[in-house]
Structure formats: structure tokens, C-alpha cells
Amino acid sequence: MITLRDFKAQDAPFIINTLNDEQVTRYLSSKIPFPYTQADADWWINQGSKNGIIKAIVVNGEFAGCIGITSGEFEYSHSGEIGYWLNKTYWGQGIITRAIELTCEEAFAQSNLNRIFGAVFAGNTGSMKALTKSGFEQEAVLKQAIYKNGVFYNNHIFSKLKADSLL
């Protein structure tokens, strides 16, 4: 069973363990510190996770990862970017796909968002599949738009509109 909830202090060791795994962080934003410390986890639990629609992913009562949508500003205020990460123990089980569906349902029902998009590093085929299975469509490929750890990556943009989720 997959549920979403607010972060708790007892999630810290699991967050630290997951975000110190280079396989997990390979395609994540470099704004996530590496190595990831107790202080980073404390900040995330108490402050960072309070901005936007951000939830812990729980599988059968066990912490598994994070998912969230950050709303845009000004003329982009009705558009939000989805992001997520999952402990690799849970990869390939459809968990992130279900978490994406649940999060989008909540966002469309409880906010003014009309569009949710995901920006995915080239090579992150698992994320691309999860978004597609969740009803997102690929809109664009921005060539060499991402630069991380000395490597350029194409940025694959996927989106889902509120109207599409009502069909």
C-alpha cells in the first residue's frame, strides 16, 4: 500500500541513507547537498518540505522517498514542477507512478494549478516511463540544457494538464 504524508523527524536516517546513494542522486538537482548530512535532513523535515505540496512516500508503513510539486511564480503561477526521489530498494515496482498520480490528483483538486510538468535528465528512463504511465506527455527536449558534474544532458519536458486529468 502506497500512502503520502508529511515528513517526520524519524524519517531523517532514511532520507540521509537514500540521498547519500549516488545511484539515487545521479539525476537529481545539484541543489540537493552531497554528501547529505543530519543537518540537511533536519532542515528538510522542519523547513524545506513545508514549501509547496511536498510529501513523504510510504510503502506498507515504511518510508520510501519523497514527491512534491513546486508552483511557479507570476505568469507561471498556474504551473508547477513535479520532482521526486525513491530509495532504490523500491525501484521498478510502480511506486513512483502511483505517487505521481496521487500527488497530481491532490494538486489539481486543492490548488490553482492547471499544468504540472516534469524536467527529466536524458538517460533517466525510469522517470520518463513513470511520468508517461501517469498520464504525462512529452512536450520537448531541450538540448544540453542541464549541466551536472561536468556533463551536459538533454532535458526532457513532460506535462499533464488539469483538463486531461478530468477525462
Side-chain angles (χ1 to χ4, degrees):
M1 174 190 243
I2 300 164
T3 57
L4 305 177
R5 63 160 169 77
D6 292 335
F7 282 86
K8 300 177 181 179
Q10 59 263 38
D11 295 332
F14 303 101
I15 296 169
I16 294 165
N17 178 56
T18 301
L19 293 180
N20 278 314
D21 184 333
E22 291 186 57
Q23 286 184 286
V24 173
T25 60
R26 178 179 179 192
Y27 296 124
L28 296 181
S29 171
S30 54
K31 69 183 170 189
I32 297 172
F34 193 87
Y36 202 84
T37 67
Q38 180 69 48
D40 297 323
D42 291 342
W43 176 85
W44 177 253
I45 291 164
N46 297 312
Q47 295 177 44
S49 67
K50 309 291 187 216
N51 301 319
I53 301 167
I54 300 174
K55 300 291 181 185
I57 302 169
V58 178
V59 178
N60 298 324
E62 299 291 323
F63 179 89
C66 174
I67 189 162
I69 298 175
T70 305
S71 293
E73 296 179 321
F74 306 106
E75 61 272 14
Y76 297 103
S77 64
H78 292 273
S79 184
E81 181 174 8
I82 193 166
Y84 39 82
W85 48 264
L86 195 64
N87 185 289
K88 69 182 176 193
T89 303
Y90 299 97
W91 288 4
Q93 300 174 39
I95 292 164
I96 208 68
T97 300
R98 183 65 183 137
I100 291 168
E101 292 167 354
L102 291 170
T103 303
C104 289
E105 287 170 15
E106 178 182 339
F108 286 138
Q110 306 294 327
S111 74
N112 68 349
L113 293 179
N114 183 60
R115 176 179 181 271
I116 298 171
F117 73 96
V120 183
F121 283 63
N124 191 351
T125 55
S127 186
M128 292 180 197
K129 287 178 186 175
L131 288 168
T132 302
K133 286 180 182 178
S134 301
F136 282 68
E137 294 182 11
Q138 186 164 344
E139 286 186 342
V141 176
L142 309 178
K143 296 185 184 284
Q144 297 186 8
I146 301 170
Y147 184 77
K148 182 176 177 185
N149 296 334
V151 178
F152 286 101
Y153 296 87
N154 289 348
N155 183 0
H156 294 249
I157 306 296
F158 292 80
S159 73
K160 182 175 189 172
L161 301 178
K162 185 175 188 173
D164 294 340
S165 70
L166 300 174
L167 300 176

